[in-house]
Amino acid sequence: MSSAETILDDLLNKASNGNMRAIGRILSYLENPYTMPEDLLEKLAKRAGNAQIIGITGIPGSGKSTLISKLITSLRKRGYKVAVIAIDPSSPISGGALLGDRLRMQEHATDPGVFIRSVSSKGLKGGLSLAALAMIEAFDALGYDKIIIETVGVGQSEVDIMSAADTIVVVTMPGAGDDIQALKAGVMEIGNIYVLNKIDKEEANKTYEYLSFALEKGDLGGNDSNWQPRLIKTSAIMGKGIEELVEAIEDHFIFIKKSNKIQEKIVSRRTLMINLLAEQFLSEGLKLASKEMYDELKSAAINANDIFNTSLRLAKKAVDFLPQNKKD
Amino acid sequence: MGCAMGNLYDKNSLKEIKGSLEKWQNDILPKWLQQVPEREKEFTNLSNIQIKNLYTPLDIEDFDYNTKLGFPGTYPFTRGIHATMYRARLWTMRMFSGFGGPEETNNRLKFLIEHGETGLSLAFDYPTLIGIDPDDPMAEGEVGIVGVSVPSIEDMRIVFDGINMGEVTTNMTINPPAPVLLSFYVGVAEMQGVPYNKIGGTTQNDPLKEFIAQKSYVFPPEPAVRVSMDLIEWSVKNLPKWNPISVSGYHIREAGSTAVQELAFTIADGIEYVRQLISRGLDVDEFAPRISFFWDSHINFFEEIAKFRAARRMWAKIMKEWFHAKKERSMWMRFHTQTAGVSLTAQQPWNNIIRTAIEAMAAVLGGTQSLHTNSFDEPFRVPSEFAAKIALRTQQIIAYESGIADTIDPLAGSYYVEWLTDQIEEQAWKYIDKIEKLGGMLEAVKKGFPQREVTEASYNYQKQVDEKKKYIVGVNIFEENEVDEIRNVPLLEFDQAEIEKRQKARISKIKSERNKELWERSLNELRKAAEGDVNLMPYILQAAKAKATLGEIMNTLKEVFGSYVEPPIY
Amino acid sequence: MLSPQFTKSEQFKVLVAKLGIDGHDRGAKVIARALKDAGFEVIYTGIRQTPQQIVSSALQEDVDVIGVSILSGAHIHHMKVLMEELKNAGASDIPVVIGGTIPLIDVDELKKIGVREVFLPGESLKRIVEIIRKLAEEKRRLESRG
């Protein structure tokens, strides 16, 4: 056993015993797949496969964070360990990132049965989806029963992340759902559970009717004909409707377990992860290869010559720079 | 004649002035500039308004004296709300202070009363300010530091032990728990046999600025406003001598807003409250005279003076034209001012005495009704007695030595000051228009609009300081290594842990000795009332008398209203 | 527990929080913005944070530096608890800095209990960012040595 391996096992042991720092560190490694310990993902995945992955999405201002905070309280009361992956969509061109999603969940910060991690696209080598998928494996392996992924539901990587969830919860608010076209954008149309939050607002009834009509007609809701998408009214700030939402989340988990879809979900998640990881390896390899072949590339570009073959040679060269080949 | 109405200048003289100004600009000034160029590329004040090299009648050419200024005590009150101003009565030198437990504060109040003070001012500690009891885990280490701890009617009784509450007025700087503290106060006054019509004082009770700046919010915006309006409505009907609200720009400014934002957001807060109260069926002239304001006086001297003058003019106009107030008192913007805590520096702290003096002068020249001057040691801690005394003396020097208070609104008619007053007013109106379009301040706050504006402004200002576009002596210009000098600043010392222990012990004693049945019933009735839409004051007063603690009353309301956690706004 | 060949994201992570129960968040927000503009990833947890919340958030987010702001005067009490919690979590290597209204005599005390830097009113953003960067670099260097 190499010392690296001992260190990794030690870290995993600590993490399994609930050591927050060890868990936090494992998640950090997963943010940088190009240099992550090579057997980390497999060690995690081997232990995983029990958690329910709950994707929660909704437009900014719909009260997702507050809703999730209340959801955590209720899930904890039922004895579940809960992990939250809070994905920040902002990726300005320059500078760093300012992440404040956990601000509204801080009441759970000191609960040893809750782990909240913020993820931004900044500084992530493999993109948001890869990091999120890897973190799902980690939390699942480390004994978290409910893994909540929070996104704003725009952009391709967020669609990927949501599609990977077992249960998709779409949060909307009065006034926001009156235009179904807006809801149909992105992942909004593939929800298993729809939440109308902020029901104390005036237009709530109208929006509720609009949404139920869209659900009945099949304009909204996933494409599984055996699951009738639920529509739940909540007021996160007042804690109203939370129990009903948790029931729906539980029911959906029972439903996919009964219909033997759980394994399918896990496999498709991992397939996506493997693909994204490979993509990441290739793209990093490509960067290094093009550095090495700089003169050749430049000459092809200047002389407008041999473009197809140069590209092919570059692609082949990239393979030399894949992580496992670095050891040579 | 060009000066029909009250125009200051006729067309002919303006034309002449224009001619001579152009001559000066073309023939005289360039020669000077060639030899001595200006110090900066541009001069701006704290609201980023560009300041010209010179102001002349041309900058206020349409200036109509009667509509813009009027006379002291007459609409639009630009020159002051009273006809006599400081020639008759100086502003009130109200020094807000306090620390420790009720016993320490009782001693302090008695000391002040012996020395002739009748206007008392209570500063509360952070647990009281956010409505939690001393035995709440969040209160650990915080009890009694920045003010007095008053978590029950019994604590309030001790604060006023031996003080006739019918003979003093008390200013309470308190917001979300204001109805509870007022109930403690009224409850103790009742015990003393003081009738309601003799209970006088002020509660700050301004919920919206908590979300914009001060951040001692408890409930979400809507219930927060409801509770605050309940206090106002109840005291308008029951306590004829109580000033139920002090609409505060101070905290907005301290959170980093510009002068224009402070002015605009605070007036917009005021507009929201007036609307809320009118929608409850109150007559505007019934409550408007009881609304007062609270401003910051910052370091840019003329900008602040202009702000105060613009504020009076705007509020008078709003009350008269928007809300059709008939009483002149309803149109008065009465205000308290505090010098800018945020302008003080830890570096070369003695310099803070001078900053405070300049800011205090601006407040007086701006016509404030009362003034608190900060102490130079506040970047470090709650003021020592020595530092607080210098701060008070600063006001007395302005009042008695400087001659500043000898005539009313002495800067009126200054081309610069009148131009700046107009500029600040104009820019503030733009903000108010925007807030109106968002549906008023309550909606704007819920949308995070003023929060974002203030955050942005504070960051921009800090960057300007870092880039030396704005100077702070001792911080980014004329810095020196003066560690020892700072070490010599004498600080207030007291045994916080001891006070916390005592406060915890008292609260547990109260809880064990009170009548359980009465206590429980009062909280249940309060909860039910909160679920409906009746005025909560009588229920809170009843709970206070049944010895429910501050934390218990606030928690009961939180169960119904929820607790506010702010959205991330940077 | 760390190995040289595993690396984290290259971006430095800083937790910015308001310790204690005062609501003066101007300084904390300005610093958060300045750090972000300087390329840091900033986790902002807002006002009314307990020492326990700050420490566990720092662990969960695996930050390089903890920055707290406090203007309530209760800094000694809270910081003692915070540093103790950090030690109990085996995370004393995470550098902690603090800003706020703090008497100089307390600055000495804070440094004695392990706070790396104390920023007083009037401190320049540039210097704060520089110091935090230096502390983050130092921590990463120590980590990579194992």
Side-chain angles (χ1 to χ4, degrees):
Chain A
M1 235 186 179
S2 74
S3 82
E5 216 166 316
T6 325
I7 290 169
L8 182 60
D9 283 336
D10 182 44
L11 191 61
L12 278 168
N13 271 338
K14 281 184 178 158
S16 314
N17 291 330
N19 181 314
M20 288 221 173
R21 186 155 210 215
I23 302 172
R25 183 52 52 87
I26 286 173
L27 299 176
S28 295
Y29 292 148
L30 296 175
E31 286 179 345
N32 198 358
Y34 196 68
T35 56
M36 78 168 87
E38 54 189 51
D39 43 2
L40 175 58
L41 272 175
E42 132 189 357
K43 283 189 172 174
L44 291 171
K46 280 218 166 76
R47 306 185 193 193
N50 302 310
Q52 179 182 15
I53 319 303
I54 306 159
I56 299 189
T57 187
I59 51 166
S62 57
K64 284 186 304 294
S65 305
T66 310
L67 187 74
I68 292 173
S69 191
K70 293 287 156 75
L71 207 55
I72 297 172
T73 310
S74 171
L75 290 168
R76 290 293 294 143
K77 274 190 199 140
R78 293 170 188 233
Y80 295 120
K81 281 180 76 181
V82 184
V84 179
I85 304 171
I87 294 181
D88 184 280
S90 66
S91 40
I93 298 144
S94 69
L98 194 37
L99 310 179
D101 268 346
R102 65 177 296 140
L103 188 145
R104 297 213 230 192
M105 304 175 204
Q106 277 302 84
E107 60 178 303
H108 304 292
T110 54
D111 179 347
V114 177
F115 199 106
I116 303 165
R117 177 72 169 218
S118 316
V119 182
S120 85
S121 53
K122 281 281 154 182
L124 285 187
K125 283 240 162 130
L128 278 174
S129 327
L130 181 53
L133 289 167
M135 285 183 185
I136 290 173
E137 295 288 352
F139 282 127
D140 193 350
L142 297 172
Y144 289 87
D145 307 293
K146 305 286 173 186
I147 301 168
I148 297 171
I149 314 174
E150 179 195 8
T151 77
V152 288
V154 286
Q156 187 52 44
S157 59
E158 302 221 347
V159 176
D160 286 348
I161 296 167
M162 280 298 117
S163 317
D166 297 320
T167 302
I168 302 172
V169 180
V170 176
V171 186
T172 178
M173 63 176 172
D178 295 357
D179 178 9
I180 293 300
Q181 286 314 313
L183 273 180
K184 286 186 81 168
V187 301
M188 301 289 194
E189 55 182 334
I190 56 167
N192 306 116
I193 298 163
Y194 288 80
V195 173
L196 179 62
N197 193 27
K198 305 194 175 180
I199 45 158
D200 36 346
K201 280 192 142 193
E202 277 172 25
E203 322 93 298
N205 279 337
K206 193 177 139 232
T207 309
Y208 184 81
E209 266 157 39
Y210 219 100
L211 286 170
S212 6
F213 185 63
L215 282 170
E216 263 167 46
K217 259 181 44 186
D219 282 354
L220 289 179
N223 43 16
D224 190 329
S225 53
N226 293 319
W227 172 261
Q228 176 56 43
R230 305 263 180 96
L231 174 59
I232 294 161
K233 287 195 268 190
T234 61
S235 165
I237 201 158
M238 298 308 307
K240 281 183 203 155
I242 304 298
E243 286 313 305
E244 207 187 326
L245 173 58
V246 174
E247 283 302 326
I249 290 171
E250 296 270 63
D251 286 351
H252 187 256
F253 197 40
I254 293 167
F255 163 77
I256 53 171
K257 275 204 271 195
K258 266 194 191 151
S259 48
N260 293 322
K261 291 221 167 82
I262 244 341
Q263 194 56 25
E264 216 175 276
K265 275 277 182 191
I266 293 171
V267 170
S268 86
R269 267 202 296 276
R270 279 192 195 136
T271 313
L272 178 59
M273 181 172 73
I274 292 166
N275 266 297
L276 289 170
L277 195 52
E279 214 174 88
Q280 185 54 28
F281 290 155
L282 283 173
S283 105
E284 284 294 314
L286 204 53
K287 264 185 223 156
L288 295 169
S290 63
K291 240 183 230 166
E292 188 163 300
M293 288 175 57
Y294 180 75
D295 290 339
E296 216 176 312
L297 292 183
K298 209 174 156 192
S299 138
I302 291 170
N303 303 322
N305 203 4
D306 209 19
I307 290 174
F308 186 87
N309 283 328
T310 307
S311 311
L312 207 53
R313 273 200 306 281
L314 177 63
K316 284 178 180 164
K317 187 87 183 168
V319 176
D320 293 345
F321 288 95
L322 297 181
Q324 66 268 34
N325 290 355
K326 275 197 310 184
K327 283 178 189 164
D328 309 335
Chain B
M1 255 276 297
C3 40
M5 310 288 289
N7 269 14
L8 272 190
Y9 309 104
D10 63 58
K11 285 213 174 98
N12 285 334
S13 9
L14 282 171
K15 215 167 146 189
E16 259 174 50
I17 294 167
K18 196 171 177 210
S20 45
L21 173 67
E22 275 165 9
K23 196 159 179 289
W24 178 77
Q25 279 170 335
N26 297 330
D27 302 346
I28 313 285
L29 185 61
K31 284 182 211 152
W32 285 79
L33 284 175
Q34 222 162 25
Q35 287 187 11
V36 202
E38 290 192 337
R39 287 180 287 122
E40 305 284 341
K41 256 192 240 132
E42 54 171 32
F43 292 78
T44 59
N45 61 18
L46 298 177
S47 296
N48 297 310
I49 294 174
Q50 291 250 5
I51 309 299
K52 298 205 287 188
N53 59 345
L54 186 77
Y55 290 87
T56 68
L58 296 165
D59 292 293
I60 49 171
E61 54 182 4
D62 296 326
F63 199 90
D64 182 310
Y65 181 88
N66 282 331
T67 48
K68 288 248 165 153
L69 302 182
F71 288 88
T74 70
Y75 186 85
F77 306 100
T78 313
R79 306 203 65 178
I81 57 170
H82 303 308
T84 48
M85 288 304 288
Y86 306 138
R87 282 174 71 101
R89 243 179 66 191
L90 289 165
W91 63 93
T92 307
M93 297 174 197
R94 181 179 288 138
M95 303 295 280
F96 152 100
S97 67
F99 69 93
E103 290 86 353
E104 286 79 8
T105 303
N106 178 250
N107 285 337
R108 173 90 190 140
L109 295 185
K110 281 179 176 160
F111 171 85
L112 291 173
I113 290 165
E114 274 166 34
H115 287 76
E117 214 167 306
T118 51
L120 308 176
S121 186
L122 287 184
F124 295 103
D125 68 352
Y126 278 115
T128 307
L129 288 173
I130 64 167
I132 60 176
D133 288 342
D135 57 355
D136 187 301
M138 282 297 285
E140 226 180 271
E142 307 263 8
V143 176
I145 297 187
V146 299
V148 57
S149 161
V150 186
S152 74
I153 195 166
E154 173 61 11
D155 292 272
M156 189 66 92
R157 189 194 63 73
I158 298 168
V159 170
F160 287 94
D161 191 35
I163 299 170
N164 184 336
M165 291 166 91
E167 287 172 5
V168 295
T169 60
T170 306
N171 173 51
M172 294 196 274
T173 303
I174 188 83
N175 290 282
V180 186
L181 271 297
L182 178 59
S183 295
F184 292 162
Y185 192 83
V186 170
V188 174
E190 271 184 55
M191 285 183 218
Q192 290 191 356
V194 177
Y196 274 19
N197 62 13
K198 283 204 163 158
I199 299 175
T202 307
T203 34
Q204 191 166 79
N205 189 35
D206 169 11
L208 287 169
K209 64 98 172 50
E210 295 298 332
F211 300 98
I212 304 170
Q214 172 86 335
K215 313 289 170 82
S216 59
Y217 44 67
V218 174
F219 314 124
E222 263 155 16
V225 168
R226 168 190 170 185
V227 170
S228 159
M229 296 305 110
D230 280 355
L231 187 158
I232 299 175
E233 186 183 23
W234 184 83
S235 62
V236 162
K237 291 186 171 144
N238 294 281
L239 301 179
K241 275 179 69 193
W242 197 262
N243 294 303
I245 185 168
S246 168
V247 191
S248 305
Y250 186 79
H251 317 85
I252 296 174
R253 191 70 181 280
E254 291 286 296
S257 84
T258 65
V260 167
Q261 289 170 343
E262 178 196 5
L263 176 61
F265 296 165
T266 307
I267 288 191
D269 285 346
I271 292 170
E272 179 72 47
Y273 302 142
V274 171
R275 285 207 180 107
Q276 294 272 347
L277 292 165
I278 289 175
S279 78
R280 288 182 174 217
L282 296 178
D283 179 72
V284 66
D285 285 315
E286 188 182 358
F287 65 81
R290 312 261 218 109
I291 297 175
S292 65
F293 286 79
F294 174 25
W295 300 112
D296 199 307
S297 190
H298 221 291
I299 193 69
N300 192 306
F301 190 65
F302 291 106
E303 181 177 18
E304 295 307 304
I305 296 166
K307 177 188 76 184
F308 297 125
R309 300 173 81 244
R312 272 193 298 271
R313 189 155 76 199
M314 291 172 79
W315 188 246
K317 184 177 169 162
I318 288 163
M319 293 313 292
K320 185 175 183 176
E321 293 178 11
W322 294 25
F323 297 114
H324 313 293
K326 291 190 183 60
K327 281 192 200 162
E328 290 220 317
R329 281 189 79 105
S330 303
M331 302 171 207
W332 288 2
M333 170 171 282
R334 288 183 298 139
F335 63 90
H336 173 66
T337 306
Q338 180 169 341
T339 55
V342 77
S343 72
L344 307 183
T345 66
Q347 295 85 347
Q348 305 174 31
W350 318 110
N351 296 348
N352 295 330
I353 298 174
I354 289 89
R355 292 192 177 97
T356 298
I358 293 170
E359 293 163 1
M361 274 162 49
V364 171
L365 286 164
T368 192
Q369 274 58 61
S370 60
L371 178 61
H372 170 102
T373 31
N374 290 323
S375 302
F376 69 86
D377 58 354
E378 287 184 55
F380 304 104
R381 196 181 269 187
V382 173
S384 65
E385 212 162 299
F386 171 68
K389 197 197 281 177
I390 294 179
L392 176 62
R393 295 289 182 249
T394 305
Q395 294 200 39
Q396 291 162 338
I397 290 168
I398 294 170
Y400 296 99
E401 289 184 31
S402 74
I404 289 175
D406 294 353
T407 187
I408 301 168
D409 190 26
L411 291 178
S414 149
Y415 314 124
Y416 176 40
V417 170
E418 295 300 356
W419 172 85
L420 194 55
T421 305
D422 287 355
Q423 282 287 314
I424 286 181
E425 180 177 349
E426 197 182 307
Q427 295 200 16
W429 280 120
K430 278 188 194 148
Y431 265 122
I432 291 174
D433 283 347
K434 166 104 205 196
I435 291 160
E436 287 293 302
K437 286 201 182 92
L438 289 172
M441 199 45 142
L442 178 55
E443 286 304 314
V445 158
K446 281 158 69 187
K447 292 184 173 103
F449 171 71
Q451 294 95 310
R452 258 192 299 279
E453 290 289 314
V454 172
T455 306
E456 200 60 34
S458 74
Y459 186 52
N460 286 340
Y461 173 72
Q462 208 56 51
K463 275 202 303 200
Q464 288 178 330
V465 171
D466 260 39
E467 291 159 6
K468 302 202 178 191
K469 286 180 183 158
K470 291 271 192 295
Y471 291 115
I472 303 174
V473 170
V475 169
N476 64 359
I477 187 170
F478 310 122
E479 303 107 301
E480 48 181 292
N481 205 351
E482 23 75 72
V483 171
D484 286 334
E485 193 187 342
I486 308 179
R487 270 179 210 284
N488 294 334
V489 176
L491 297 168
L492 175 80
E493 297 292 343
F494 68 100
D495 191 349
Q496 188 271 335
E498 184 54 38
I499 289 165
E500 187 161 316
K501 215 172 102 193
R502 196 206 306 152
Q503 286 301 93
K504 274 186 182 172
R506 178 152 44 235
I507 210 86
S508 85
K509 188 162 176 276
I510 291 168
K511 284 179 181 174
S512 66
E513 287 176 358
R514 66 193 167 194
N515 180 326
K516 285 262 159 7
E517 201 188 314
L518 270 180
W519 164 77
E520 201 172 4
R521 196 194 317 144
S522 74
L523 288 181
N524 284 337
E525 285 176 8
L526 173 62
R527 187 179 297 108
K528 238 176 264 154
E531 281 161 0
D533 58 4
V534 295
N535 192 309
L536 296 178
M537 271 307 292
Y539 298 90
I540 295 172
L541 183 58
Q542 176 178 273
K545 287 181 189 166
K547 305 235 168 126
T549 65
L550 170 63
E552 289 167 344
I553 296 174
M554 293 299 279
N555 284 339
T556 303
L557 294 175
K558 276 190 240 177
E559 281 167 29
V560 181
F561 297 145
S563 299
Y564 184 74
V565 180
E566 75 173 342
I569 292 170
Y570 314 107
Chain C
M1 71 188 209
L2 309 151
S3 161
Q5 71 254 55
F6 314 149
T7 52
K8 302 194 293 183
S9 146
E10 282 147 22
Q11 200 166 30
F12 291 131
K13 260 179 152 182
V14 182
L15 182 91
V16 175
K18 283 278 308 150
L19 178 61
I21 55 178
D22 73 279
H24 305 104
D25 59 0
R26 181 182 61 93
K29 283 186 167 178
V30 165
I31 300 304
R33 275 282 293 271
L35 286 167
K36 179 197 152 214
D37 287 353
F40 288 77
E41 186 171 323
V42 182
I43 314 285
Y44 181 69
T45 61
I47 66 166
R48 295 185 203 169
Q49 297 289 292
T50 64
Q52 291 83 353
Q53 280 175 311
I54 290 174
V55 170
S56 62
S57 302
L59 301 179
Q60 292 179 2
E61 301 288 355
D62 194 21
V63 298
D64 299 298
V65 178
I66 298 173
V68 303
S69 159
I70 178 165
L71 288 90
S72 77
H75 42 268
I76 294 286
H77 176 272
H78 291 319
M79 288 308 281
K80 277 187 181 159
V81 180
L82 191 147
M83 299 310 283
E84 193 61 30
E85 290 279 331
L86 212 52
K87 197 172 142 205
N88 294 341
S92 293
D93 59 310
I94 304 178
V96 179
V97 299
I98 183 173
T101 45
I102 296 164
L104 278 183
I105 191 165
D106 291 353
V107 172
D108 301 340
E109 173 86 17
L110 288 168
K111 291 207 168 155
K112 224 186 286 163
I113 61 170
V115 174
R116 296 293 296 275
E117 194 66 60
V118 181
F119 303 112
L120 299 179
E123 191 63 80
S124 91
L125 288 179
K126 215 172 119 203
R127 184 165 168 270
I128 295 173
V129 171
E130 268 165 24
I131 287 177
I132 292 177
R133 190 192 302 281
K134 209 185 78 212
L135 291 170
E137 279 166 359
E138 189 186 304
K139 175 177 171 269
R140 291 271 176 115
R141 257 201 315 279
L142 288 172
E143 269 176 11
S144 65
R145 257 188 246 138

